[in-house]
Amino acid sequence: MTNSNHFDIAVFPGDGIGEEIMGPCVELLERAIACTDKLDVSFSKYVAGAASYRDSGEALPNESMNKAAEADAILLGAMGLPDVRYPDGTEISPQIDFRFKFGLYAGVRPVRTIPGLRPILNNPAASELDFVIIRESTEGLFASHGKGEVIDDAEARDTLVITRAVSERLFDFSFDLGRKRKALGKPGHVTCVDKANVFKSFAFFRKIFEEQGELNADLQRSHMYVDAAALNMISRPWDLDVMVTENMFGDILSDLGAALIGGMGYAPSADIGDDHAVFQPCHGSAPDIAGKGVANPTAMFLSGAMMLEWLGDKHQCAAAGEAGRLVRDAVDAAFAGGQLVTCELGGDAGTKPVFDAVAAALDNIIKARSH
Ligand code: ATP
């Protein structure tokens, strides 16, 4: 980064539909950025993923890792292919390597209904969901990634790890987010999701949540067991605000959250650490629909919007925040009339029609502003 208005973005399209949704996303972000006229963002594409491993033997080449480390932010499509695996049978997932390497402990998964999308739950409040799941992304059960063992073909073990250092930062991040949301009129209520009634690790997790909660006493806080959280996400998700949880629980609950807002194609995410951040849709490379032009790029667009807003916050760059909001407003406007129905919701709008609709909505917003 040379000044607070210039940002270098390392772009990793990845595998499967990742390639198909990344091009339109970068084009949309560039259009939003262009209309702020105070922002200079360069997007550079790098290779990583299952196809890279298959073709070169390297899932995450050194050059790609170095460029990612130097960049101001990382924009990622999706990585992994079911038939390309490491010799131990696990999938190729450089996105998980990024989380460990860069200490991206806060996995932010917004569950926000786009106005105009048919709600999945039959309750008027379901059309206005707006809560956030924060998934710890560097330890928990995923600490065992690449380290689990099978003993004599008779027993398998993976170990869950909770550390004080990461948990404190995770909870501070969650309370900060709760505070930002409170300033925007949300409840500012942070809920720790755990299984503290059964596991020592989760009792420790909850204890640290309480300690950090005492330091953030301006915010409401509560606990929920993960099984109750799954129930509440279906029975009364409109009451939720900020949920913070362990890696594996967050992995599962964030897919449940995606279902509540229309499916994986609508669910953006950010993996945030103290110095780096990766922005990518919650979904994987979806090989079942790759190459057909039917992938929904909305989650990718919204992840790009989160990236611009994060850059804006981190570098006090109002123009970046504004460009991010423009992209999100354009997505909302494109779906608002209920006419744009993506393939996974039974319609016929694939990648290009969704891009065209969102880009047209962006043009309209920009025109309306200049009048
Ligand atoms: P991973 O393990 O890498 O997260 P996954 O096994 O959860 O991947 P996904 O690739 O996320 O699987 O796909 C799950 C389902 O959702 C598939 O049927 C896929 O076609 C669908 N899907 C995922 N992303 C999209 C999208 N952007 N548009 C439409 N359908 C999608």
Side-chain angles (χ1 to χ4, degrees), residues 17 79 91 255 264-265 282-289 294-296 344:
I17 62 167
M79 291 182 188
E91 271 195 43
D255 272 26
M264 300 304 285
C282 283
H283 60 73
S285 62
D288 54 330
I289 56 166
V294 299
N296 179 2
E344 82 259 55

Side-chain angles (χ1 to χ4, degrees), residues 142-347:
F142 278 67
S144 190
H145 181 62
K147 297 181 196 147
E149 53 176 346
V150 178
I151 306 156
D152 296 335
D153 204 28
E155 183 179 323
R157 286 172 187 249
D158 282 292
T159 304
L160 185 151
V161 177
I162 300 290
T163 67
R164 169 172 287 281
V166 168
S167 301
E168 284 181 356
R169 283 185 292 166
L170 174 76
F171 295 135
D172 284 346
F173 181 97
S174 306
F175 286 115
D176 279 349
L177 182 65
R179 193 169 289 110
K180 281 183 195 145
R181 287 171 59 86
K182 195 174 175 183
L184 296 172
K186 306 287 173 201
H189 187 133
V190 183
T191 304
C192 177
V193 176
D194 58 46
K195 196 70 183 168
N197 51 338
V198 177
F199 298 104
K200 275 195 174 163
S201 52
F202 282 109
F204 182 57
F205 190 67
R206 185 182 282 203
K207 173 175 169 280
I208 300 168
F209 174 76
E210 275 305 305
E211 289 170 8
Q212 298 314 112
E214 286 297 319
L215 302 174
N216 291 277
D218 54 316
L219 297 168
Q220 299 176 68
R221 65 181 186 274
S222 58
H223 317 113
M224 228 181 250
Y225 296 131
V226 65
D227 39 343
L231 180 84
N232 290 331
M233 280 178 66
I234 298 295
S235 58
R236 49 180 190 91
W238 36 86
D239 288 342
L240 301 168
D241 190 6
V242 176
M243 302 166 89
V244 54
T245 191
E246 177 270 344
N247 208 338
M248 183 71 164
F249 289 167
D251 187 26
I252 297 165
L253 292 182
S254 54
D255 272 26
L256 178 50
L260 289 173
I261 54 171
M264 300 304 285
Y266 293 97
S269 86
D271 292 319
I272 298 178
D274 292 334
D275 302 313
H276 297 87
V278 172
F279 298 83
Q280 65 174 123
C282 283
H283 60 73
S285 62
D288 54 330
I289 56 166
K292 297 181 181 161
V294 299
N296 179 2
T298 307
M300 185 77 246
F301 297 165
L302 293 172
S303 302
M306 286 175 81
M307 178 185 78
L308 292 173
E309 290 187 314
W310 176 80
L311 286 168
D313 257 12
K314 186 171 164 67
H315 300 278
Q316 282 95 46
C317 174
E322 188 194 332
R325 279 188 297 281
L326 263 179
V327 171
R328 205 179 32 246
D329 288 351
V331 166
D332 284 3
F335 284 97
Q339 306 302 314
L340 185 65
V341 184
T342 55
C343 301
E344 82 259 55
L345 293 181

Side-chain angles (χ1 to χ4, degrees), residues 1 8-12 44 46 60-75 97-98 101-104 274-278 310 314:
M1 196 185 76
D8 291 317
I9 311 302
V11 176
F12 289 87
S44 309
Y46 302 105
L60 184 51
N62 278 340
E63 202 221 340
S64 297
M65 183 51 117
N66 293 339
K67 294 294 183 187
E70 286 165 13
D72 293 297
I74 300 162
L75 191 62
D97 299 334
F98 279 144
K101 169 89 180 166
F102 296 137
L104 310 178
D274 292 334
D275 302 313
H276 297 87
V278 172
W310 176 80
K314 186 171 164 67

